[in-house]
Structures are given as structure tokens and as C-alpha cells.
Amino acid sequence: MDWGIFYAILGAAIAVIVSGIGSAIGVGRAGQASAALLSKQPEKFGNTLLLQVMPSTQGLYGFVVAFMAMVKLGAFGEMVSITEAQGWTIFAYCMPVAIVGLVSAIMQGNVAIGCINLVGKQENQMGHAIPMLVLVEIFAIFAFIVSILGVMLLNIG
């Protein structure tokens, strides 16, 4: 068995799975708040949808990192041969987007719930709600950049 490939693919899988779990939790919880608000104020659908969708980006970041890792491994052509150490390196580079993606998506979902409640009471506060979500997003973006650059710049093959 090629353990290098195994560890690299495991890292890519964890990046997708863990960041995706965080996004599912964040979006799901924000969706519950949206549904509660929309049961009384259905005209606020557009605003609540925008707020609810924000925690989904972390799952997207995990998917992109995993896709780039698979491209680096030649998964869509002929797989390259890598050492066990290189496999662990790819694994390690996948972890920032996985771990920070999980936590930031859940936290962003919590912020989205507060923002949905804010917009439910004062619709003109949408402009204040978005920056609150973006502040959490910044940390996911930092982790995404570390992961994607690490995977892309790794010299293998």
C-alpha cells in the first residue's frame, strides 16, 4: 500500500467532511431562526436567506482544498508516487481549513442567528448584520489561504 497517497487522501477527505459538518450545523441552526422569523414576517425571506447562507462558505473552502490536493496527487489522471512524509505534509496542510472551518462555521451560524433576530426587529440593520458575519469569515479565509497555498506550493512528483 502507498501510505503517502493514503495520508494525503485522508487529509483531503477530512478537509471536506469536517468543514462540511461545521457548515451544515451553522446553516441548519441559522435556518431554524430564519424559519421562525419567516412564520411571522415572510417578506424578510431575502434578508434571512443571505444571513443563513454565510456559514456554508467554510464547507466550500474545505471542498476546494480537497480538490486541489487530489489534483496535486494526479487523481484525475495518473496518480503520482509520493513518500509517506509528503503524504503527512498534505494531510497537515488540509487541517487548518478542516478545523478552523468546523469552528468558524458553527460560530458564524450563532452570529447569523443573532443577525436574523436583529433584522426581524429592525430591517434597516441589515447593513450592520453583514459585517458581523464577515468578521467570523475572516478566520476561515485565513485558514483557507494557509491550506490552499500549502497544498499548491508543495513540490511533489
Side-chain angles (χ1 to χ4, degrees):
M1 177 171 199
D2 189 343
W3 288 104
I5 293 290
F6 173 79
Y7 295 130
I9 292 173
L10 180 62
I14 290 172
V16 171
I17 293 166
V18 173
S19 64
I21 288 170
S23 285
I25 292 169
V27 170
R29 293 188 66 220
Q32 290 173 325
S34 293
L37 174 62
L38 293 174
S39 69
K40 295 182 180 176
Q41 299 177 42
E43 69 278 3
K44 295 190 176 175
F45 174 74
N47 286 343
T48 61
L49 181 63
L50 178 62
L51 296 170
Q52 180 187 351
V53 79
M54 286 296 292
S56 68
T57 57
Q58 287 85 339
L60 175 65
Y61 300 155
F63 173 78
V64 170
V65 167
F67 182 82
M68 293 307 297
M70 298 306 289
V71 166
K72 185 68 127 175
L73 296 171
F76 306 105
E78 186 164 333
M79 292 286 275
V80 298
S81 180
I82 62 172
T83 66
E84 192 171 330
Q86 289 171 322
W88 276 116
T89 302
I90 292 174
F91 179 94
Y93 278 130
C94 290
M95 290 306 100
V97 79
I99 296 166
V100 176
L102 171 71
V103 175
S104 68
I106 293 170
M107 292 298 105
Q108 196 171 46
N110 292 342
V111 174
I113 291 167
C115 291
I116 289 164
N117 291 330
L118 172 65
V119 170
K121 293 176 182 167
Q122 298 179 23
E123 190 165 2
N124 64 339
Q125 293 298 311
M126 186 69 173
H128 291 132
I130 298 294
M132 292 179 204
L133 289 167
V134 170
L135 288 172
V136 181
E137 185 77 19
I138 288 169
F139 297 99
I141 292 169
F142 291 158
F144 174 64
I145 290 169
V146 167
S147 289
I148 199 75
L149 287 178
V151 168
M152 288 175 49
L153 298 178
L154 184 63
N155 189 12
I156 62 173

XYZ file of all heavy atoms in Angstrom, residues 12 17 25 31 33 43 49-50 52 68 98 108 131-132 144:
112
model
N -7.401 15.145 2.668
C -8.373 15.788 1.784
C -9.795 15.442 2.214
O -10.681 16.307 2.246
C -8.128 15.355 0.337
N -15.037 16.744 4.968
C -16.010 16.240 5.948
C -16.155 17.190 7.134
O -17.267 17.578 7.505
C -15.622 14.830 6.415
C -15.762 13.831 5.263
C -16.463 14.399 7.618
C -15.096 12.489 5.508
N -24.022 22.475 10.361
C -24.524 22.896 11.671
C -24.861 24.381 11.649
O -25.945 24.796 12.080
C -23.499 22.568 12.783
C -23.387 21.050 12.961
C -23.875 23.251 14.101
C -22.213 20.614 13.836
N -30.961 28.431 9.770
C -32.219 28.139 9.073
C -33.388 28.010 10.021
O -34.508 28.412 9.703
N -33.676 29.640 12.842
C -34.016 31.013 13.220
C -34.752 31.715 12.084
O -35.715 32.458 12.323
C -32.757 31.784 13.601
N -42.041 38.385 4.359
C -41.438 39.348 3.434
C -39.932 39.515 3.677
O -39.225 40.099 2.842
C -42.149 40.712 3.546
C -41.917 41.454 4.838
C -42.810 41.014 6.012
O -43.604 40.064 5.861
O -42.681 41.627 7.087
N -32.291 34.694 4.058
C -31.558 33.726 3.230
C -30.086 34.113 3.122
O -29.192 33.282 3.255
C -32.190 33.610 1.844
C -31.518 32.612 0.902
C -31.624 31.194 1.459
C -32.150 32.686 -0.473
N -29.824 35.390 2.900
C -28.446 35.865 2.802
C -27.691 35.602 4.107
O -26.545 35.141 4.096
C -28.419 37.356 2.464
C -27.048 38.001 2.379
C -26.218 37.359 1.278
C -27.168 39.489 2.153
N -28.444 33.347 6.388
C -28.361 31.906 6.631
C -27.261 31.239 5.801
O -26.618 30.305 6.253
C -29.703 31.244 6.322
C -29.677 29.744 6.556
C -30.945 29.049 6.100
O -31.927 29.691 5.747
N -30.907 27.736 6.105
N -7.958 20.509 -4.725
C -6.588 20.865 -5.112
C -5.590 19.796 -4.666
O -4.624 19.512 -5.380
C -6.208 22.231 -4.536
C -6.993 23.385 -5.141
S -6.948 23.444 -6.945
C -5.229 23.704 -7.254
N -9.936 22.393 7.735
C -10.866 21.467 8.383
C -11.248 21.968 9.773
O -12.432 22.116 10.087
C -10.245 20.071 8.470
N -20.161 31.186 13.157
C -20.822 32.087 12.224
C -22.328 31.819 12.190
O -23.122 32.739 12.049
C -20.220 31.943 10.822
C -20.578 33.087 9.906
C -19.802 33.023 8.611
O -19.693 31.965 7.996
N -19.268 34.155 8.190
N -21.417 42.900 8.351
C -20.039 42.945 8.862
C -19.800 42.026 10.055
O -18.694 41.510 10.227
C -19.853 44.418 9.264
C -20.837 45.159 8.439
C -22.016 44.241 8.264
N -20.833 41.799 10.859
C -20.675 40.882 11.993
C -20.353 39.471 11.500
O -19.508 38.781 12.072
C -21.953 40.852 12.832
C -22.241 42.131 13.560
S -23.782 41.934 14.466
C -24.289 43.633 14.610
N -8.148 28.927 5.026
C -8.250 28.502 3.630
C -6.982 28.870 2.866
O -6.427 28.049 2.127
C -9.480 29.146 2.981
C -9.613 28.904 1.514
C -9.802 27.622 1.020
C -9.565 29.958 0.614
C -9.943 27.398 -0.345
C -9.710 29.752 -0.747
C -9.894 28.459 -1.223
